[in-house]
Amino acid sequence: MLIPRSLSVLALMLALNVSASLADTHPQPNAARSDAEPETDQMIVRFKPNANILGVDRVLTQLSGSQVDRLRYVRTTEQDSDVFKWERRKSRKQMENLTQWLKSQPEVEYAEPDYIMTTMTLPNDSELAYQWSLLDTVTGIRAEPAWDLSTGAGSVVAVIDTGYRPHADLVANLLPGYDLISTTSVAVDGNGRDADASDPGDYYAAGECGGTTARKSSWHGTHVAGTIAAVANNGIGVAGVAYNAKVVPVRVLGKCGGYTSDIADGMLWAVGNTVSGTTVNRNPAKVLNLSLGGQNACGTTTQNAINAARAKGATVVVAAGNNNADAVSFSPANCAGVITVAATARDGGKAAYSNYGANVDVAAPGGSSYNGAAEGILSTLNSGLQQPEADSYAFYQGTSMATPHVAGIAALMYSVYPTITPDQVESALKSTARAFPATCTSCGVGLVDAEAAVNAALVLKQNDPYFALRADWSANKTLWASKQIRNYTYVLEQQIGTGSVQRYKFTVQNGSVTSGVNLATNRTLTSTQRKSVGKTIDQLFTLVDQALNAKYSTIQASYDAILGYPTNLYFDPKSTVTGDQSSYKASALTPF
């Protein structure tokens, strides 16, 4: 309270003394007990500077509770709020009800539970002790302190790989994926592309894939996905780097590998682009993990897919390769716009197999199982040698294992700053990477640090004046997309610069303006006029996106609460220039 502190304390003590005798006639609001676990026994309340003492008395009288659970004044904080304590702890629901009631009182400026905090404990997964790559403060990624800041909630990572097995330690974090393998001999599931991204196995016999030896099924995509987002705190197995993130499995690798054309389509599908013959991904990923590659140049097909993913705001993380060679000769590690990841061994130095070179950006733990299985990377797997059998866990090594560590950190970053850009993700990962604890020549700028990277994302968010605008834009665009309205009419009012206001009614079919009427003259627009002034709702979203990307000096936008489409937009590229502003108002939208 902002009245003199001595007077404040006296008033509160008097009020509480009175309240004890009036407890039976002034019952506590919302006093029914909940079965939920008690959370705290204290409340922080700040009364308004001009609050009447009698009004404060009334509030505290009703708040005090029964004779067996009396309220007492504890202290006045340095922020001039007052702390009160009951004799018994209350459940979270009770405290929420009390807080809501307090906020409704005219004498109260704010109120909040004085919750009890504890030290953050590690997940209770049974094999967590073997996950040195996450927890070791010298050679790991330092995930534990990062989890105090983010666990990946809200982030979606596409694992573009061999598909998935519904492992008990992973399945809760899986979203619907897609099988993009177009060749049945590679797919080995009896058909071509379909909506089933489950992994039937990628084993092959000697001579089948150009080699002289056979290979058992790898369940590679399941292992990679587990490193990123294995379920934590379920008492079994392992924990993922971003254990509250979701994984969209995109199957592009089968027997003998996978074709570049399928992998490129997999990237496009993962970020929500249309791929012929498939259904649209309703959970577009902001992080793409490609633990795959081949010894060739970065082709136009691959580069175009990467560019398209980045245009959707997605970060593409790729493996450097396992040939102990310069990564410049391996794709997609040598493509532009990707984060190329080298692998470190248990000691934090370069893993013997890892590729290296000038195009490597950072390094992450990839394991060194040749020194003992436990020096590898433990993750989810399947026990089947050919076809799927039981859930299992296994230690693997490779830049394929290093890459999901970085993808997981990126998911942590997107979780705290959803509109962070791919360039910002890469820059933050590089700027916060720490020095290698052992020799790792040409392994990028350093060993990734999860805590430091997430903190960097938080700083970027804090310094981004467009963050709220981007978040609002993204949420409403997602809402509009979820309605899948492709055929509709609506009225658009627009003003460009200092010109007169124009009003049109447009008809949109299959996402294109098919007709329009000038409402001032009631004349039908010609095709040329439609091309000039016609706009779909999606194009209005594009206008907002362009303004945000160009960082206009003024951006104002409001959206329809039910459908999410922009209803009132105002843009001013430069506040110093007169007549460069534009405004748009959408109304009367009617689907048909």
Side-chain angles (χ1 to χ4, degrees):
M1 296 177 68
L2 297 182
I3 55 179
R5 183 166 296 191
S6 59
L7 182 58
S8 169
V9 172
L10 176 61
L12 295 171
M13 294 301 292
L14 287 172
L16 291 176
N17 286 335
V18 172
S19 70
S21 63
L22 298 178
D24 293 335
T25 58
H26 295 276
Q28 179 182 338
N30 299 305
R33 286 199 59 85
S34 165
D35 292 332
E37 186 69 22
E39 294 288 342
T40 185
D41 54 1
Q42 295 193 167
M43 179 74 77
I44 303 169
V45 183
R46 178 166 174 160
F47 291 97
K48 293 178 180 177
N50 60 350
N52 183 281
I53 295 299
L54 294 178
V56 173
D57 181 6
R58 177 188 59 78
V59 171
L60 293 174
T61 295
Q62 291 186 262
L63 192 65
S64 65
S66 66
Q67 293 280 1
V68 296
D69 189 19
R70 292 179 179 177
L71 184 74
R72 66 180 177 86
Y73 165 81
V74 177
R75 67 186 181 91
T76 299
T77 71
E78 296 305 311
Q79 299 179 43
D80 287 306
S81 56
D82 299 298
V83 179
F84 301 95
K85 184 180 184 71
W86 284 276
E87 293 180 2
R88 298 180 179 180
R89 286 194 182 187
K90 301 187 182 302
S91 70
R92 181 175 292 270
K93 181 63 176 177
Q94 284 180 297
M95 294 303 283
E96 288 175 352
N97 289 339
L98 288 166
T99 301
Q100 183 178 6
W101 178 82
L102 279 166
K103 289 179 178 179
S104 72
Q105 303 308 299
E107 294 81 10
V108 175
E109 183 173 321
Y110 70 80
E112 59 188 11
D114 196 4
Y115 282 128
I116 299 168
M117 305 294 177
T118 62
T119 57
M120 298 296 290
T121 57
L122 283 173
N124 62 10
D125 302 81
S126 59
E127 307 304 312
L128 189 66
Y130 291 101
Q131 293 187 270
W132 62 269
S133 63
L134 272 58
L135 304 181
D136 193 298
T137 58
V138 176
T139 63
I141 64 169
R142 299 182 180 176
E144 182 181 358
W147 289 334
D148 288 346
L149 305 170
S150 172
T151 56
S155 291
V156 177
V157 182
V159 174
I160 301 172
D161 212 292
T162 66
Y164 75 97
R165 293 310 310 163
H167 195 290
D169 207 8
L170 178 62
V171 68
N173 281 343
L174 293 177
L175 293 171
Y178 215 88
D179 179 355
L180 272 295
I181 300 176
S182 56
T183 306
T184 55
S185 62
V186 176
V188 297
D189 59 358
N191 55 35
R193 294 181 170 182
D194 56 45
D196 181 5
S198 61
D199 185 353
D202 59 353
Y203 78 96
Y204 54 80
E208 279 196 291
C209 296
T212 58
T213 59
R215 194 188 75 170
K216 66 181 182 179
S217 287
S218 67
W219 317 113
H220 190 272
T222 300
H223 196 281
V224 169
T227 298
I228 295 169
V231 177
N233 288 309
N234 59 354
I236 63 170
V238 296
V241 175
Y243 58 73
N244 277 328
K246 300 297 183 184
V247 167
V248 171
V250 183
R251 186 169 182 250
V252 296
L253 303 180
K255 179 180 283 190
C256 306
Y259 289 100
T260 292
S261 56
D262 288 343
I263 295 168
D265 281 353
M267 285 190 271
L268 296 175
W269 186 88
V271 296
N273 284 5
T274 299
V275 176
S276 179
T278 71
T279 57
V280 175
N281 176 18
R282 298 300 178 189
N283 302 287
K286 280 303 180 75
V287 183
L288 273 57
N289 188 104
L290 283 87
S291 291
L292 51 78
Q295 191 165 3
N296 45 62
C298 179
T300 301
T301 300
T302 300
Q303 188 63 64
N304 285 346
I306 292 167
N307 295 345
R310 286 173 53 84
K312 287 293 189 75
T315 295
V316 183
V317 188
V318 305
N322 301 329
N323 300 77
N324 189 27
D326 195 324
V328 74
S329 300
F330 293 80
S331 175
N334 54 12
C335 294
V338 300
I339 299 174
T340 300
V341 184
T344 54
R346 182 65 180 87
D347 65 355
K350 178 183 171 299
Y353 53 79
S354 179
N355 286 356
Y356 51 83
N359 62 310
V360 172
D361 296 298
V362 291
S368 45
S369 295
Y370 39 70
N371 292 328
E375 293 199 6
I377 305 301
L378 182 65
S379 189
T380 49
L381 210 72
N382 190 277
S383 63
L385 299 181
Q386 296 183 359
Q387 285 80 28
E389 294 183 15
D391 289 349
S392 67
Y393 299 88
F395 291 96
Y396 274 9
Q397 66 176 16
T399 56
S400 282
M401 285 60 254
T403 304
H405 285 84
V406 178
I409 296 173
L412 299 178
M413 297 167 74
Y414 275 99
S415 178
V416 298
Y417 185 16
T419 56
I420 192 170
T421 68
D423 286 339
Q424 287 175 320
V425 171
E426 180 176 350
S427 177
L429 285 167
K430 288 181 174 180
S431 65
T432 59
R434 63 186 191 272
F436 293 108
T439 302
C440 199
T441 305
S442 297
C443 294
V445 297
L447 182 63
V448 289
D449 188 309
E451 179 191 20
V454 175
N455 272 318
L458 287 168
V459 170
L460 288 168
K461 174 183 174 180
Q462 182 180 359
N463 294 334
D464 181 4
Y466 300 91
F467 173 71
L469 288 166
R470 288 184 185 277
D472 205 26
W473 169 84
S474 178
N476 283 283
K477 185 176 183 181
T478 300
L479 175 59
W480 169 255
S482 71
K483 302 301 180 181
Q484 301 184 48
I485 300 173
R486 303 288 289 168
N487 304 300
Y488 53 89
T489 62
Y490 82 105
V491 174
L492 180 65
E493 179 182 302
Q494 64 182 44
Q495 182 178 18
I496 309 299
T498 57
S500 59
V501 176
Q502 303 293 323
R503 296 182 74 245
Y504 305 97
K505 184 174 183 179
F506 295 117
T507 298
V508 179
Q509 293 180 292
N510 294 320
S512 299
V513 177
T514 56
S515 65
V517 176
N518 185 326
L519 294 179
T521 64
N522 205 31
R523 291 183 177 179
T524 300
L525 300 179
T526 66
S527 61
T528 300
Q529 290 171 325
R530 286 203 312 272
K531 290 179 182 178
S532 174
V533 299
K535 289 180 174 59
T536 66
I537 293 298
D538 292 286
Q539 287 171 326
L540 293 181
F541 275 113
T542 299
L543 290 174
V544 182
D545 192 30
Q546 290 171 344
L548 288 167
N549 288 337
K551 297 186 176 179
Y552 281 13
S553 63
T554 303
I555 306 171
Q556 297 173 0
S558 59
Y559 302 86
D560 181 87
I562 304 300
L563 299 179
Y565 66 88
T567 56
N568 201 336
L569 310 178
Y570 178 82
F571 307 122
D572 193 350
K574 295 181 180 178
S575 58
T576 56
V577 178
T578 301
D580 62 344
Q581 68 274 15
S582 302
S583 65
Y584 304 87
K585 292 184 179 180
S587 61
L589 187 141
T590 305
F592 65 89

